[in-house]
């Protein structure tokens, strides 16, 4: 597919912003995927190109969190073990569920999550010591968020951070870092599929990749510096953006 300078100018700034937001609180796909579609790519090419650039940004943010010691490897591995089958089950259920039902479920759940996120104050700066119960909680969080990712998709990283904070006793910054590793693992399989099927427009995805990596570096640095307060507000913003998207789609459907 021919790539014009206009397409690059549309996609690159939005991908930078999406990656910055994603590194802080998840949900960058709400911006980056529509950016590719706005540039004129059909759905399959937009999805594959977005997965390529966003995965590269995710590698950078994961690296930044890992270097700062904000990723707990064993709990993240438990979450990955739950997320992979969860995503498969969610995708299978998606095939059998009418779209209006999916939208109605999300319109109900997302506002509740946003309110809980605003009201619940997690003052812990350190993660609680891991034990068998918390490892199981990580597995359950991974399963549920993986299921959501396969069933609905948008905001799965944000929900992962919330789950690891509340159910597994992690501090918000450590939950954020650990969630990045889980998201990276789940993205790898999807990216391989897109590459095999030729769904990546490299002429657009490569410059976007550079912007994605830069945005992830800036976002992770901000999150590590500002801490849980900034992460919480960015996560709320992601949930509000997702809710607005769902309402718009319901009105225009």
């Amino acid at each position: 597919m021919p790539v014009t300078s206009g397409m690059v100018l549309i996609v690159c700034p939005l991908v930078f912003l999406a990656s910055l937001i994603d590194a802080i609180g998840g949900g960058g796909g709400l911006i980056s995927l529509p950016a590719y579609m706005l540039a004129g790519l059909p759905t399959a090419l937009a999805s594959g190109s977005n997965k390529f650039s966003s995965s590269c940004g995710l590698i950078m943010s994961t690296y930044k969190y890992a270097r700062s010691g904000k990723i707990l490897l064993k709990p993240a591995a438990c979450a990955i073990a739950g997320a992979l089958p969860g995503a498969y089950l969610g995708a299978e259920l998606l095939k059998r569920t009418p779209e209006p039902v999916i939208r109605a479920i999300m319109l109900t759940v997302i506002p509740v999550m946003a309110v809980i996120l605003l009201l619940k104050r997690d003052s812990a700066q350190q993660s609680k010591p891991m034990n068998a119960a918390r490892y199981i909680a990580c597995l359950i969080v991974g399963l549920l968020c993986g299921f959501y990712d396969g069933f609905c998709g948008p905001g799965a990283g944000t929900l992962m951070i919330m789950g690891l904070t509340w159910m597994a006793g992690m501090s918000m910054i450590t939950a954020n870092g650990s969630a990045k590793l889980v998201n990276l693992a789940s993205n790898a399989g999807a990216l391989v599929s897109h590459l095999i099927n030729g769904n990546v427009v490299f002429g657009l995805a490569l410059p976007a990749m550079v912007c994605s990596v830069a945005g992830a570096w800036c976002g992770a640095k901000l999150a590590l510096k500002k801490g849980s307060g900034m992460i919480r507000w960015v996560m709320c913003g992601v949930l509000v953006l997702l809710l607005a998207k769902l309402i718009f789609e319901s009105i225009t459907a």
Side-chain angles (χ1 to χ4, degrees):
M1 181 177 180
V3 175
T4 67
S5 58
M7 295 166 69
V8 174
L9 289 174
I10 289 171
V11 169
C12 284
L14 290 174
V15 164
F16 175 87
L17 176 63
S19 193
L20 185 146
I21 290 173
D22 194 75
I24 297 172
L30 294 171
I31 299 172
S32 59
L33 181 57
Y36 282 100
M37 299 178 76
L38 183 63
L41 269 63
T43 303
L45 293 179
S47 180
S49 301
N50 176 62
K51 190 64 69 175
F52 178 84
S53 60
S54 63
S55 293
C56 293
L58 191 53
I59 290 172
M60 171 55 74
S61 59
T62 303
Y63 169 74
K64 287 285 289 181
Y65 281 106
R67 277 205 64 183
S68 299
K70 301 303 182 183
I71 295 180
L72 301 180
L73 292 178
K74 289 183 179 179
C78 290
I80 291 170
L84 296 179
Y88 173 80
L89 293 172
E92 287 298 307
L93 182 60
L94 176 64
K95 299 175 185 177
R96 299 166 175 80
T97 306
E99 188 171 333
V101 174
I102 298 172
R103 190 175 291 117
I105 292 171
M106 294 182 71
L107 283 170
T108 302
V109 172
I110 296 302
V112 174
M113 290 180 175
V115 170
I116 293 173
L117 184 59
L118 282 173
L119 294 180
K120 183 175 173 58
R121 296 292 174 181
D122 176 29
S123 58
Q125 297 300 312
Q126 300 293 329
S127 297
K128 297 177 181 177
M130 296 302 297
N131 54 31
R134 293 198 174 100
Y135 281 122
I136 293 172
C138 291
L139 181 70
I140 294 171
V141 169
L143 181 67
L144 294 176
C145 292
F147 179 86
Y148 171 84
D149 197 19
F151 184 64
C152 301
T158 301
L159 301 184
M160 177 74 70
I161 297 169
M162 294 169 65
L164 292 176
T165 301
W166 299 344
M167 293 179 62
M170 293 186 188
S171 67
M172 192 163 283
I173 192 73
T174 304
N176 198 347
S178 301
K180 295 293 177 287
L181 186 59
V182 180
N183 292 343
L184 186 60
S186 64
N187 277 7
L191 177 58
V192 169
S193 175
H194 282 300
L195 289 170
I196 291 173
N197 291 307
N199 287 335
V200 178
V201 181
F202 286 101
L204 187 56
L206 285 173
M209 175 197 73
V210 176
C211 295
S212 181
V213 170
W217 186 88
C218 294
K221 187 174 182 179
L222 278 172
L224 290 166
K225 183 177 180 180
K226 300 295 184 181
S228 61
M230 183 181 192
I231 295 171
R232 178 181 287 108
W233 284 107
V234 170
M235 288 166 63
C236 285
V238 169
L239 293 175
V240 169
L241 180 61
L242 177 55
L243 182 61
K245 177 178 179 289
L246 291 169
I247 293 173
F248 177 78
E249 289 176 349
S250 298
I251 293 173
T252 57

